[in-house]
C-alpha cells in the first residue's frame, strides 16, 4: 500500500475537495495499520467521511450547473463506492481480516482513478465553465466510464474474500470438532476411570470387556477379576437379594430396561456387607444395531445411613412434645411440627412465611428475639424464658432454645427454635415458693423470707450507713378470742391484723407473721428512732380499732418493741432478740404501748 499514497499531482485546486481527498487516503492507510480489534471505529470514521465528501461534491456540481449526464455518472460512482464500503464493513464486524490489505489497495486504486479522471474533469469545468474542450472530454469520459468495471471488480474481490472467510471458518470448525472429539475422549476416560461409581461395559454376548477401577473400592475385587469371570458380578450379590438381579437378567434377555436403579446388598471380598444401586441400559448404534450394555453400580452405604438418620430426625421432629419450627436466615417460618400447633393453636398454613416474632408477646420480642440474634449467630445457641402468645390471645410462659444452622461455608442459612409451654411448671414453682416463704393464713412473709430480707437490709444499711428498724408485734387477748369465739374467728382476726399492718407500711417495708399471734415488721432506711416510733404508734392505733368478724365485734390490744441498727444490735439475731425484749417490757408495762430497746438501756 506504500506505493498508493496521496501526492500533489492529485490536487484539483478545489480547496475543501482536495482536503477531503487527502483525508480519505490517510484514513485508508490508518485502517491498514490498525489491529483488528480497533479497526471498527476507524472504518466508521472512513464511511462518515466518504459520505460527507460525496455530499459536498454533489452540492458543488449542482451549484455550478454541471452537465446532468456527467452528474449521473458521478453519482453512480458514489453509490458503487459506498455500497462496496458497506460490504467491507460487514466483513470487519464479523471479525474476518483475511485479504484485508488487498481490499484496501483496491479501494485506494479505485479512489485514485476517480480523482484523476472524473474529479479532474469536474475541476476543469468549474475553472473553465465555457470551455468546449472540457465539454468534449466529459462526453468522452461518459462514453468510456469505468465505474461499472471497478464496481464489478470490487464485487469479485469481495466474493473471493467471502469464500476465503468461509474456508477459514470451515477449517476452524473442523479443528474445533477434532479438538472437542479429543477432549471428549479424554474426559470420558477420566470420568470413567476416576468416577466414584463402578462403571462397566458388557458386550452383546454378555462378556465384560471393561470395568472401572472403582469396583475394587466397592467390592474388594480387582477389575481384571470381573473381566476374567463375568459371573462374579452376580456371585457377590447377597443371597437374600439375588431375586432382584434374577428379574433384571430376565429383562435383559427380553431386551427390556428397567426404569429405576436396583438396590441390593453385596458381600465384599472381606466378608462385609455393602449396599449398592445398580443400573444397566442397552446401547444401540444410530442404525439400530445392538452394541452391548453400559452398567453403573454406585456405593449406597453412605446414602443408606443418611436416609436412616433423616428418618430418625423426622421421627424426632414429629414426635417430641416441644414445639419445633425452622426459619430462614431472616426469621421467616419454613416448617413446624405437630406439637407447635398443639402449643400455639396455629396451623402451619397460618404461619408459613410469617416472621417468627409473631408467635411471642410484643413486649417480650425485643428482649428475647431481636436482641439475641447477634449472640445466636456468634455462639450458635441461646436459650431462656419468653412470653408466648396463643392464637386465642392468651399469654403463656415459655422456655425457648434458638439454634443457628450454617452451611459448609459458614454462612447462616436457618434458625431452629424449640420451645415449650411452662405455664403450669411456673405455677407450681410459684406455689412451692409461696408455701416455703409465705404464711398460708395471712399471706404475709414467713420467718424464712423475713430473715432473708432482714439480712439483705442489713447489708444495704451497712453499705449506706443507714438506720434499720425491727419491730416485734404481739397481740394482747388473742387467746381469749380463740377460746371464747373459736379458731375460725381467731383466724379472721389474724387476717384483719395483717391487712391493717400492711396499710400502715411503705412498699419497701415488710410485715411478717412468725407464729401464733406474733408479727415482725422490718423498716429499712428509717431516718430516726422517732420515725420508727411513729410507725409503731400508728400500727397500735389501727390494730386496737374494733373488728366485725362474722357478726362478732372484737377488740384487742397490742404490744410493740423496737430495736434499731446499729444502735441496738449489729446482727439479725441481736436485733430480733432485743426487739422481743422491748416488746416483753411493753406487754407487762401496764397496757398497750410501743417501747424502744433504747429505753431499756437507760
Amino acid at each position: 500500500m506504500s506505493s498508493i499514497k496521496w501526492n500533489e499531482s492529485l490536487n484539483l485546486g478545489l480547496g475543501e475537495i482536495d482536503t477531503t481527498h487527502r483525508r480519505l487516503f490517510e484514513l485508508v492507510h490508518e485502517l491498514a495499520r490498525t489491529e483488528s480489534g480497533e479497526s471498527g471505529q476507524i472504518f466508521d470514521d472512513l464511511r462518515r467521511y466518504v459520505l460527507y465528501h460525496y455530499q459536498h461534491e454533489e452540492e458543488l456540481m449542482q451549484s455550478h450547473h454541471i452537465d446532468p449526464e456527467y452528474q449521473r455518472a458521478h453519482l453512480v460512482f458514489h453509490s458503487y463506492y459506498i455500497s462496496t464500503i458497506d460490504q467491507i464493513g460487514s466483513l470487519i464486524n464479523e471479525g474476518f481480516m483475511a485479504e484485508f490489505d488487498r481490499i484496501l489497495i483496491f479501494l485506494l486504486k479505485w479512489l485514485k482513478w476517480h480523482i484523476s479522471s472524473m474529479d479532474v474533469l469536474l475541476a476543469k469545468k468549474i475553472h473553465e465553465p465555457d470551455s468546449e474542450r472540457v465539454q468534449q472530454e466529459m462526453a468522452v469520459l461518459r462514453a468510456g466510464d469505468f465505474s461499472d468495471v471497478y464496481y464489478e471488480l470490487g464485487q469479485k474481490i469481495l466474493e473471493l474474500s467471502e469464500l476465503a472467510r468461509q474456508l477459514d471458518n470451515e477449517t476452524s470448525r473442523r479443528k474445533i470438532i477434532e479438538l472437542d472429539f479429543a477432549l471428549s475422549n479424554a474426559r470420558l476416560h477420566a470420568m470413567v476411570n476416576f468416577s466414584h461409581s463402578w462403571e462397566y461395559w458388557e458386550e452383546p454376548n454378555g462378556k465384560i470387556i471393561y470395568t472401572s477401577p472403582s469396583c475394587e473400592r466397592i467390592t474388594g475385587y480387582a477389575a481384571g477379576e470381573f473381566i476374567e469371570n463375568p459371573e462374579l458380578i452376580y456371585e457377590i450379590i447377597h443371597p437374600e437379594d439375588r431375586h432382584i438381579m434374577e428379574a433384571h437378567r430376565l429383562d435383559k434377555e427380553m431386551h427390556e430396561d428397567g426404569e429405576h436403579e436396583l438396590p441390593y446388598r453385596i458381600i465384599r471380598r472381606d466378608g462385609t456387607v455393602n449396599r449398592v444401586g445398580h443400573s444397566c441400559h442397552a446401547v444401540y448404534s444410530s442404525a439400530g444395531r445392538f452394541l452391548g450394555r453400559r452398567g453403573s453400580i454406585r456405593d449406597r452405604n453412605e446414602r443408606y445411613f443418611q436416609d436412616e438418620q433423616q428418618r430418625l430426625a423426622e421421627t424426632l421432629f414429629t414426635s417430641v412434645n416441644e414445639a419445633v419450627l425452622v426459619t430462614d436466615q431472616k426469621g421467616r417460618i419454613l416448617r413446624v411440627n405437630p406439637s407447635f400447633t398443639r402449643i400455639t393453636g396455629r396451623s402451619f398454613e397460618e404461619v408459613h412465611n410469617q416472621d417468627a416474632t409473631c408467635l411471642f408477646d410484643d413486649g417480650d420480642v425485643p428482649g428475647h428475639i431481636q436482641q439475641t440474634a447477634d449472640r445466636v449467630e456468634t455462639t450458635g445457641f441461646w436459650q431462656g424464658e419468653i412470653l408466648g402468645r396463643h392464637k386465642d390471645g392468651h399469654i403463656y410462659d415459655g422456655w425457648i432454645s434458638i439454634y443457628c444452622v450454617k452451611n459448609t461455608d459458614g454462612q447462616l442459612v436457618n434458625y431452629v427454635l424449640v420451645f415449650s409451654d411452662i405455664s403450669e411448671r411456673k405455677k407450681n414453682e410459684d406455689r412451692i415458693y409461696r408455701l416455703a416463704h409465705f404464711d398460708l393464713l395471712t399471706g404475709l412473709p414467713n420467718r424464712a423470707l423475713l430473715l432473708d430480707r432482714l439480712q439483705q437490709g442489713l447489708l444495704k444499711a451497712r453499705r449506706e450507713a443507714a438506720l434499720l428498724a425491727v419491730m416485734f408485734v404481739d397481740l394482747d387477748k388473742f387467746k381469749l378470742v380463740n377460746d371464747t369465739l373459736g379458731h375460725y374467728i381467731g383466724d379472721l382476726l389474724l387476717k384483719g391484723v395483717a391487712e391493717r399492718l400492711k396499710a400502715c407500711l411503705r412498699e419497701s417495708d415488710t410485715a411478717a407473721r412468725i407464729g401464733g399471734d406474733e408479727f415482725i415488721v422490718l423498716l429499712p432506711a428509717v431516718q430516726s428512732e422517732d420515725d420508727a416510733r411513729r410507725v409503731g404508734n400508728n400500727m397500735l392505733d389501727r390494730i386496737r380499732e374494733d373488728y366485725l368478724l362474722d357478726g362478732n365485734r372484737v377488740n384487742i390490744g397490742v404490744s410493740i418493741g423496737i430495736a434499731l441498727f446499729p444502735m441496738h444490735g449489729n446482727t439479725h439475731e441481736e436485733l430480733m432478740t432485743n426487739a422481743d425484749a422491748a416488746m416483753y417490757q411493753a406487754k407487762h408495762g401496764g397496757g398497750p404501748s410501743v417501747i424502744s430497746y433504747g429505753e431499756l438501756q437507760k
Side-chain angles (χ1 to χ4, degrees):
M1 290 184 57
S2 59
S3 61
I4 310 175
K5 293 184 176 180
W6 172 264
N7 58 71
E8 296 303 319
S9 65
L10 296 175
N11 271 326
L12 305 175
L14 292 180
E16 181 65 19
I17 297 296
D18 290 335
T19 300
T20 53
H21 280 159
R22 185 184 299 108
R23 180 57 182 153
L24 288 174
F25 269 80
E26 291 173 354
L27 285 172
V28 175
H29 278 277
E30 188 175 342
L31 191 61
R33 295 190 300 269
T34 304
E35 297 291 334
S36 60
E38 302 174 359
S39 58
Q41 182 60 48
I42 298 176
F43 191 84
D44 290 343
D45 292 342
L46 172 65
R47 188 182 187 282
R48 285 194 295 269
Y49 215 81
V50 167
L51 290 172
Y52 165 73
H53 171 64
Y54 289 168
Q55 182 181 1
H56 186 66
E57 277 192 348
E58 290 165 13
E59 291 174 353
L60 192 63
M61 287 189 290
Q62 291 177 6
S63 65
H64 287 84
H65 306 290
I66 303 301
D67 177 64
E69 289 299 320
Y70 173 83
Q71 286 193 47
R72 186 194 64 77
H74 211 114
L75 292 177
V76 167
F77 166 77
H78 287 177
S79 64
Y80 283 170
Y81 204 77
I82 286 294
S83 175
T84 303
I85 283 179
D86 286 341
Q87 293 177 65
I88 296 171
S90 296
L91 290 176
I92 291 176
N93 289 335
E94 293 175 7
F96 182 70
M97 302 299 291
E99 303 293 327
F100 193 55
D101 285 348
R102 191 186 303 276
I103 294 172
L104 295 181
I105 289 171
F106 170 73
L107 282 180
L108 288 175
K109 286 184 176 180
W110 193 1
L111 180 60
K112 186 175 181 181
W113 168 83
H114 176 71
I115 294 172
S116 59
S117 57
M118 300 189 77
D119 285 353
V120 164
L121 279 178
L122 175 61
K124 288 180 179 180
K125 183 62 178 176
I126 291 173
H127 294 316
E128 304 174 47
D130 300 324
S131 170
E132 291 187 10
R133 178 176 59 82
V134 174
Q135 200 69 24
Q136 291 172 356
E137 289 180 5
M138 281 190 167
V140 171
L141 179 64
R142 289 197 303 274
D145 185 6
F146 287 98
S147 293
D148 291 339
V149 174
Y150 269 100
Y151 178 69
E152 291 176 4
L153 180 58
Q155 293 302 303
K156 294 297 181 184
I157 291 174
L158 290 173
E159 287 175 10
L160 289 173
S161 296
E162 174 63 20
L163 289 174
R165 184 184 71 82
Q166 292 179 7
L167 179 60
D168 183 71
N169 287 345
E170 180 63 19
T171 302
S172 298
R173 189 182 71 83
R174 286 179 177 272
K175 288 181 179 178
I176 292 172
I177 290 174
E178 292 172 1
L179 179 60
D180 283 346
F181 183 73
L183 287 174
S184 295
N185 277 339
R187 289 177 185 138
L188 180 60
H189 187 270
M191 180 180 68
V192 171
N193 281 348
F194 297 100
S195 170
H196 193 69
S197 299
W198 165 19
E199 310 291 336
Y200 69 90
W201 180 268
E202 184 182 284
E203 288 193 322
N205 60 8
K207 182 180 180 181
I208 295 177
I209 60 172
Y210 172 80
T211 182
S212 66
S214 291
C215 68
E216 187 165 1
R217 177 182 54 80
I218 295 174
T219 69
Y221 293 92
E225 295 180 78
F226 290 96
I227 294 174
E228 292 174 6
N229 177 17
E231 289 299 311
L232 182 59
I233 196 171
Y234 303 105
E235 293 172 0
I236 63 175
I237 298 175
H238 194 285
E240 295 177 2
D241 292 345
R242 285 179 182 165
H243 66 281
I244 299 174
M245 188 53 67
E246 288 301 324
H248 171 63
R249 295 182 81 167
L250 289 175
D251 288 340
K252 285 172 59 178
E253 292 174 6
M254 300 294 294
H255 292 279
E256 295 179 356
D257 287 330
E259 294 292 328
H260 306 291
E261 184 180 81
L262 300 176
Y264 57 81
R265 293 166 292 172
I266 64 171
I267 300 176
R268 291 168 45 87
R269 182 189 288 277
D270 61 9
T272 58
V273 176
N274 201 9
R275 296 177 183 272
V276 299
H278 183 190
S279 59
C280 182
H281 300 281
V283 180
Y284 297 89
S285 69
S286 57
R289 184 169 64 90
F290 178 56
L291 300 178
R293 288 182 172 274
R294 175 191 172 275
S296 179
I297 299 177
R298 294 195 294 166
D299 189 336
R300 303 289 289 176
N301 256 13
E302 185 177 349
R303 177 63 181 273
Y304 174 79
F305 288 118
Q306 287 177 349
D307 290 345
E308 286 297 304
Q309 291 296 318
Q310 181 66 31
R311 280 192 288 271
L312 177 60
E314 187 66 23
T315 301
L316 289 172
F317 183 80
T318 56
S319 61
V320 294
N321 289 325
E322 290 82 4
V324 182
L325 65 146
V326 181
T327 77
D328 62 15
Q329 65 271 32
K330 294 184 179 179
R332 293 175 297 214
I333 299 172
L334 303 178
R335 193 178 178 199
V336 302
N337 71 341
S339 292
F340 170 87
T341 301
R342 176 177 54 80
I343 291 174
T344 68
R346 295 176 171 89
S347 67
F348 172 68
E349 290 74 19
E350 291 175 292
V351 298
H352 185 221
N353 280 330
Q354 297 294 314
D355 194 300
T357 56
C358 71
L359 305 173
F360 306 106
D361 183 49
D362 293 343
D364 234 31
V365 169
H368 290 80
I369 297 296
Q370 294 173 352
Q371 290 183 4
T372 62
D374 290 339
R375 181 177 175 186
V376 172
E377 189 170 349
T378 301
T379 64
F381 174 75
W382 181 85
Q383 66 178 1
E385 289 189 20
I386 196 167
L387 295 179
R389 182 179 293 278
H390 194 275
K391 180 181 177 179
D392 62 15
H394 82 263
I395 305 300
Y396 60 89
D397 292 300
W399 179 264
I400 188 169
S401 299
I402 306 175
Y403 302 86
C404 178
V405 181
K406 298 183 179 181
N407 60 20
T408 53
D409 296 327
Q411 297 173 325
L412 174 66
V413 290
N414 296 104
Y415 290 106
V416 176
L417 284 71
V418 181
F419 62 92
S420 56
D421 184 345
I422 60 170
S423 300
E424 193 61 34
R425 190 187 81 187
K426 292 278 287 185
K427 289 178 183 177
N428 290 334
E429 289 175 352
D430 289 344
R431 190 177 300 113
I432 293 170
Y433 180 82
R434 291 198 64 82
L435 287 173
H437 295 89
F438 289 87
D439 176 55
L440 292 180
L441 178 63
T442 64
L444 295 178
N446 61 13
R447 180 183 292 272
L449 183 55
L450 171 71
L451 290 177
D452 180 68
R453 292 185 181 180
L454 177 52
Q455 289 169 344
Q456 296 299 320
L458 286 172
L459 289 175
K460 184 177 180 182
R462 290 190 184 97
R463 187 170 56 250
E464 297 177 359
L467 297 180
L468 178 144
V470 174
M471 308 175 73
F472 209 112
V473 179
D474 186 81
L475 304 184
D476 298 335
K477 299 187 293 184
F478 175 74
K479 186 176 183 302
L480 177 62
V481 174
N482 248 351
D483 291 344
T484 57
L485 299 178
H487 290 285
Y488 173 70
I489 299 300
D491 288 345
L492 292 180
L493 177 59
L494 291 174
K495 290 180 181 180
V497 171
E499 290 300 320
R500 294 185 184 185
L501 281 176
K502 288 191 292 185
C504 297
L505 302 178
R506 303 167 299 180
E507 188 175 349
S508 59
D509 301 333
T510 298
R513 182 187 177 211
I514 62 172
D517 59 352
E518 295 178 336
F519 299 83
I520 289 182
V521 173
L522 174 63
L523 303 177
V526 292
Q527 299 299 314
S528 64
E529 184 175 322
D530 290 339
D531 285 342
R533 188 181 294 277
R534 275 193 293 275
V535 173
N537 286 326
N538 186 28
M539 291 190 297
L540 186 144
D541 292 339
R542 290 295 306 277
I543 291 172
R544 291 177 65 191
E545 294 175 3
D546 289 348
Y547 297 84
L548 186 61
L549 305 174
D550 197 27
N552 299 287
R553 186 174 298 279
V554 177
N555 179 272
I556 60 171
V558 62
S559 301
I560 300 174
I562 302 174
L564 273 81
F565 169 85
M567 295 88 78
H568 306 148
N570 285 307
T571 66
H572 70 276
E573 293 93 342
E574 292 176 351
L575 290 172
M576 291 181 67
T577 298
N578 294 337
D580 185 23
M583 181 276 298
Y584 184 84
Q585 182 63 35
K587 197 174 190 66
H588 295 86
S593 62
V594 177
I595 294 180
S596 166
Y597 184 73
E599 296 178 47
L600 302 184
Q601 295 176 316
K602 294 179 180 179

